[in-house]
């Protein structure tokens, strides 16, 4: 975690945050690669960012949390991925997206799933769109999974 670059001095210098000296007798420090950090001075190894966090440029002391609607599933991430359609990430720093509940949908990159408007429904979990009710059917609920047929004598 320290180096001596000039020779003939009485002590070694600790590497700053974001840099490491992994070998004994190091003449310089090496910056941590993107996806990893050195959070303290004098470290000999970089630490990978944990799931839900990322570090995109290298030579840093902290990983950043993925923002709401994005995740980083594996450690040492350099970017966060948007949640795919039909799912969401409600908070920051999450490792995985959650499928939309029955009766709700997300068209992509969501921080929340939405209820379908009246006259529409979302069939099953992880819906990516709402489906309109067919002629002769209706739906008054905004979290429905199917339409209801109109009673005889109505349309």
């Amino acid at each position: 975690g320290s180096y001596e670059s000039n020779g003939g001095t009485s002590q070694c210098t600790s590497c700053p945050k974001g840099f490491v000296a992994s070998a004994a007798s190091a003449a310089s420090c090496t910056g941590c690669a993107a996806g990893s950090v050195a959070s303290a001075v004098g470290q000999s190894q970089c630490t990978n960012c944990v799931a839900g966090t990322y570090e995109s440029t290298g030579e840093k002391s902290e990983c950043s949390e993925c923002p709401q609607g994005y995740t980083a599933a594996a450690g040492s991430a350099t970017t966060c991925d948007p949640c795919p359609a039909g799912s969401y990430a409600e908070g920051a720093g999450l490792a995985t997206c959650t499928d939309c509940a029955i009766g709700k949908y997300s068209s992509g990159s969501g921080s929340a799933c939405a209820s379908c408007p009246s006259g529409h429904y979302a069939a099953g979990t992880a819906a990516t769109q709402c489906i309109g009710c067919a002629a002769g059917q209706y739906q008054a609920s905004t979290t429905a999974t199917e339409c209801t047929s109109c009673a005889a004598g109505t349309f």
Side-chain angles (χ1 to χ4, degrees):
S2 57
Y3 70 103
E4 201 293 302
S5 61
N6 298 324
T9 61
S10 61
Q11 66 183 24
C12 294
T13 303
S14 294
C15 293
K17 291 179 180 181
F19 294 81
V20 295
S22 56
S25 303
S28 64
C29 298
T30 304
C32 293
S36 64
V37 296
S39 58
V41 297
Q43 285 191 239
S44 61
Q45 291 183 312
C46 297
T47 304
N48 288 339
C49 294
V50 297
T53 66
Y54 72 103
E55 199 295 298
S56 61
T57 60
E59 301 178 356
K60 299 288 184 195
S61 61
E62 292 181 5
C63 298
S64 299
E65 285 187 335
C66 292
Q68 189 172 2
Y70 292 79
T71 62
S76 70
T78 58
T79 61
C80 297
D81 299 316
C83 289
S87 66
Y88 69 101
E90 192 169 31
L94 297 178
T96 59
C97 298
T98 302
D99 286 346
C100 293
I102 292 174
K104 296 192 175 223
Y105 77 102
S106 166
S107 56
S109 297
S111 56
C113 296
S115 296
C116 292
S118 294
H120 295 77
Y121 69 99
T125 60
T128 60
Q129 63 183 2
C130 296
I131 302 165
C133 294
Q137 295 183 324
Y138 73 97
Q139 186 47 257
S141 171
T142 58
T143 57
T145 58
E146 61 185 19
C147 294
T148 303
S149 293
C150 294
T154 63
F155 65 97

